[in-house]
Amino acid sequence: MSSLSRELVFLILQFLDEEKFKETVHKLEQESSFYFNMKYFEEEVHNGNWDEVEKYLSGFTKVDDNRYSMKIFFEIRKQKYLEALDKHDRSKAVEILVKDLKVFASFNEDLFKEITQLLTLENFRENEQLSKYGDTKSARTIMLVELKKLIEANPLFRDKLQFPNLKNSRLRTLINQSLNWQHQLCKNPRPNPDIKTLFVDHSCGQPNGARAPSPANNPLLGALPKAGGFPPLGAHGPFQPAPAPVPTQLAGWMSNPPSVSHPTISGSAIGLGSPSMSAALKHPRTPTNPSLDYPSADSDHMSKRTRIMGITDEPNLPVNVLPVSFPGHSSHNQAFNAPDDLPKTVARTLNQGSSPMSMDFHPIQQTLLLVWNLSACSMSLQAALVKDPGVSVNRVIWSPDGSLFGVAYSRHIVQIYSYHGSDDLRQNVEIDAHVGGVNDLAFSHPNKQLCVITCGDDKTIKVWDATTGAKKYTFEGHEAAVYSVCPHYKENIQFIFSTALDGKIKAWLYDNMGSRVDYEAPGRWCTTMAYSADGTRLFSCGTSKDGESHIVEWNESEGAVKRTYIGFRKRSLGVVQFDTTKNRFLAAGDDFSIKYWDMDNVQLLTSVDADGGLPASPRIRFNKDGSLLAVSTSDNGIKILANSDGLRILRTFENLSFDGSASRTPEAPKPTMNALSAAAAAAASNAALAERAAPVVGSISAVNGDARSLPDVKPRIGEESNDKSKIWKLTEINEASQCRSLKLPENMRVTKISRLIYTNSGNAILALASNAIHLLWKWQRNERNSSGKATAGISPQLWQPSSGILMTNDVTETKPEESVACFALSKNDSYVMSASGGKISLFNMMTFKTMTTFMPPPPAATFLAFHPQDNNIIAIGMDDSTIQIYNVRVDEVKSKLKGHSKRITGLAFSHVLNVLVSSGADAQICVWSSDGWEKQKSRYVQLPPGRTPSPQSDTRVQFHHDQIHFLVVHETQLAIYETTKLECVKQWVQRENSAPISHATFSCDSQLIYASFFDATICVFTASHLRLRCKINPYAYLTSNLHVHPMVIAAHPQEPNQFALGLSDGTVHVLEPLESDGKWGVPPPVENGSTSTTPATPPAAGSGSEQPAQR
């Protein structure tokens, strides 16, 4: 049933309840199983109407669905049995024992025997466990408390306990609106029309008796003038005025808000033994139409909350908040030109040395492609493989955060490696996973623990701890070799789809209780499955033994094929592989080409042959944002296809990677046996790759053109050249013509910008001003800005909802300008948590409405950070020097961390090390375990001799992409620390008597550091060694008032050379280098391949004077 049909049922339920059709209401509740009326259930239990209680329950669950359901029915039948005994009605008790309770004997025979023995007692209270049993009324009340907990914990009820917050008589209102609209279409509208039926469309009639055309039959009608209204229909008041036209991007949007996740009961794991997938998979939380913009602010039910509700772990949404899609971001309704937006241009050609069976782009560093060869495996495995030359790599894949990757071999082995940036790879685990080949591999987070899922020729699916390699689950039930796995989650329910070579598709929950569904894959044989990026649409691609290939979309709730895409070769010459991107497109390798489909259209959109040289069924893989596509070639190579965004990303990264390339010497030893970093990839020649067949973990942008034509060159360290003959000069930008700068529009007066961040989608900027008001700028997708991303070339819109309200923080009696402001944005840009000295506020980013406020001062919040694995957990830094670990779902402070002596000024989580790093105004850094919240290490920032920080000095922390090193920003310095030892490995110190640092941040790829100073200078550093490469003087972006300075600086989440400044006059500026430059300056030379530790005499200049990094 569609979401609209489901919501219609709720409207009917409301109508029946208002009309007092009580029995019909509860019958529909039971038959639809959409809403469990807890109040009605309680009444029936209190009244002892046990038959009705079980009948009502049967619409939502059965006895053997799961352990919660089993216990619910057991408690009800036990109570019924005890009441019969209490009335000394032994024949009734025996009947209940035989008919109702015996079903539980197979699960707990001892308990059933004990219950049976109660028949022998004169008073069952003689049994010690029942000695406190009171009268019937109190016993029912006590039982109800337990039943409510079980129902709330039962996942089958999870989205069915809350009735939507509807305005009164909503169905009647919709009918009135429809009649008003129909009346507008009448050619001769009467002022007081007589409505006698709803069975046909209304018409006032023509003078000659002709009827006006039905709106349903005349879709071409435009806007019509409003005619007279209708008289009241019955006793329910006048018709509502005709509503304003609904924006096209909202048409059809009626998705249900998510429900609250409830705690488990009795400390035991949840068993979800549903006989079908409907309980686990239907009613997706996110809208099925990815073209949504912000909904109307009239949607009050989206933001009303009576208490602090849980924020779901995945997909990281708070209760009653729907995902945001800013205009221009993955929106169907925007202008789209398929040939331009799809990656079709061959941008790079890489020679792998052998035919790649699998490849995967890094989830964060989107120009980093993982390919794996057999010579990369351990020596013991290589020795074993000598006897079996047919062994191949079946699958390589990155973990969700890019810190690990897994390799599945066609011979029983799985290897897990950790990636620490550059060419630093370390094998963590080698697992003897299956009997026979390992056919597929995937990462997942069941119970918030990173796991590896494998499947193999032995017909099993297995789940392993990704860190230790310990086996967690084994799923058996397939009757043929398992070909692929696809883990996913919905409404906090984690599950795994698997496909086997006999064409069976099964689904599993992490409970060792067997498969939940049994579908037939179109074409049978080799089938893979994948979700769209937003997790709302499920697809599969399969090839039969006869070469017939199919891509289909599934209706998950019904287990049926929703649509079948056409355009394949009649007989594919191999197993077709596919991929999805941008929540809109499908791609498959078939007939010596790449074929593209729009997800909403079964017809082939276009095909690309990538300038030829592709095999019959090439392997393909998109990067995360869909701007790049890797495709295997028939000559054992890989071609990288790009769209306009991809070409720009490659150019940008290439400029970084090839600085100083002209001075490289052609003679050099071959690269070492490590995986290829961005620099090493540029240095590696075809000969070196082919001879060594090394694992390739390389930035494709480092390969200029065809890798086969590159000469052997000396490997570089980072971006630097070892040739000292080239004279390096610091790049200084002094005029507006030397860079691209944009002042964002403003229509309200704010004093200064306290906090600034780009949205994670990269197409909007959110600012928090010192007067507690939030500002949101959004870029639109159009012909001038095809990506819809933030840019300095096009002015955005200062966005507000139609209600005109502002997101304004709670403030105390003191002036908000004197308070410390802080905020944190959700991963999907749906909500923001913020404070300006008063209570912490949770805002809906779609409507700007305040969803809730909590934690009134004192103490006041000074910094906010979400736990990376659990969005319900928030670390809140306070002005009393403590850090409170707060659980939003249960509205409770779980831990209070004490270690600083002044207010908290920075917090950062590492999901790799499972630690929280904090910094304070006391210039101290602390490392806390995020498992038990114990303090592991602490250290004070190394201040320059004789330098005393100002009382308002902040110390900020931010993790590098490797999640092991982090940046420390202090008014006197920038520093890079290694977390486990809490050692400072690099330091740049500002000259004494120069302007202090106001703020600094990593670029999105952690290759650069942008730092702002109180004299309005901006400095760009190369992050690897903290050397200054570019200095931007105030005249380059400030045209008039030079007495302002940046308060905060933010980096674009996808464009490494774009950043934004929040200034002390309340304005925001976006800066980018000139398109002809593509980057901020040229990095300085590095002596002996590393940063010099000998202090040099800095030039007499202001802030940003070039100094070597100090260790």
Side-chain angles (χ1 to χ4, degrees), residues 901-960:
S901 60
K902 295 183 180 180
R903 73 178 187 282
I904 304 302
T905 58
L907 295 169
F909 280 97
S910 168
H911 51 73
V912 171
L913 301 177
N914 290 327
V915 297
L916 169 68
V917 173
S918 63
S919 58
D922 55 2
Q924 184 182 191
I925 304 167
C926 297
V927 179
W928 314 81
S929 166
S930 59
D931 295 326
W933 304 112
E934 304 91 0
K935 185 163 76 169
Q936 295 180 342
K937 292 180 181 295
S938 64
R939 180 164 295 184
Y940 284 90
V941 173
Q942 303 170 21
L943 297 180
R947 303 276 283 276
T948 303
S950 64
Q952 298 301 317
S953 175
D954 288 350
T955 306
R956 302 288 175 84
V957 288
Q958 181 189 9
F959 267 100
H960 186 278

Side-chain angles (χ1 to χ4, degrees), residues 688-743:
L689 280 170
E691 180 179 332
R692 291 170 26 252
V696 179
V697 183
S699 171
I700 54 178
S701 59
V703 181
N704 188 8
D706 192 328
R708 290 170 294 182
S709 63
L710 282 176
D712 278 342
V713 292
K714 184 177 293 184
R716 293 176 298 121
I717 298 177
E719 303 174 273
E720 318 308 332
S721 168
N722 291 326
D723 188 347
K724 303 177 186 177
S725 62
K726 184 177 179 179
I727 299 176
W728 174 84
K729 184 179 180 182
L730 173 68
T731 301
E732 290 202 48
I733 296 176
N734 300 306
E735 300 176 0
S737 61
Q738 294 177 288
C739 69
R740 290 181 289 164
S741 172
L742 173 67
K743 180 182 176 182

Side-chain angles (χ1 to χ4, degrees), residues 789-1015:
K789 302 291 185 183
T791 174
I794 298 174
S795 184
Q797 173 193 7
L798 181 57
W799 194 86
Q800 275 185 275
S802 58
S803 63
I805 64 173
L806 299 173
M807 287 191 290
T808 306
N809 278 335
D810 173 73
V811 295
T812 59
E813 294 180 358
T814 59
K815 295 181 179 180
E817 288 81 0
E818 300 173 359
S819 303
V820 177
C822 55
F823 67 16
L825 184 65
S826 68
K827 294 177 183 177
N828 55 18
D829 304 329
S830 293
Y831 61 96
V832 62
M833 197 164 285
S834 183
S836 296
K839 298 177 187 177
I840 300 174
S841 300
L842 181 65
F843 293 101
N844 185 325
M845 285 277 285
M846 295 173 283
T847 63
F848 280 18
K849 291 186 177 180
T850 304
M851 299 173 60
T852 190
T853 59
F854 57 98
M855 280 202 174
T862 56
F863 207 92
L864 299 167
F866 285 101
H867 192 289
Q869 270 88 42
D870 188 349
N871 237 21
N872 286 295
I873 305 299
I874 308 170
I876 306 174
M878 296 293 188
D879 62 3
D880 67 351
S881 78
T882 64
I883 303 167
Q884 299 195 20
I885 307 302
Y886 177 73
N887 189 313
V888 178
R889 178 180 294 155
V890 298
D891 189 14
E892 181 181 348
V893 175
K894 292 296 186 181
S895 297
K896 183 177 287 188
L897 314 183
K898 298 181 179 179
H900 291 274
S901 60
K902 295 183 180 180
R903 73 178 187 282
I904 304 302
T905 58
L907 295 169
F909 280 97
S910 168
H911 51 73
V912 171
L913 301 177
N914 290 327
V915 297
L916 169 68
V917 173
S918 63
S919 58
D922 55 2
Q924 184 182 191
I925 304 167
C926 297
V927 179
W928 314 81
S929 166
S930 59
D931 295 326
W933 304 112
E934 304 91 0
K935 185 163 76 169
Q936 295 180 342
K937 292 180 181 295
S938 64
R939 180 164 295 184
Y940 284 90
V941 173
Q942 303 170 21
L943 297 180
R947 303 276 283 276
T948 303
S950 64
Q952 298 301 317
S953 175
D954 288 350
T955 306
R956 302 288 175 84
V957 288
Q958 181 189 9
F959 267 100
H960 186 278
H961 266 325
D962 65 11
Q963 293 285 296
I964 295 172
H965 297 85
F966 62 90
L967 170 67
V968 174
V969 182
H970 187 266
E971 64 177 17
T972 65
Q973 63 186 276
L974 304 174
I976 304 293
Y977 279 73
E978 195 277 333
T979 307
T980 57
K981 297 179 181 178
L982 199 53
E983 290 183 348
C984 178
V985 295
K986 298 288 179 185
Q987 185 182 42
W988 182 91
V989 178
Q990 173 64 312
R991 293 183 59 188
E992 194 171 3
N993 301 324
S994 297
I997 300 170
S998 61
H999 200 260
T1001 185
F1002 276 122
S1003 62
C1004 63
D1005 57 4
S1006 295
Q1007 300 296 312
L1008 304 175
I1009 294 174
Y1010 299 111
S1012 59
F1013 295 79
F1014 279 99
D1015 63 357

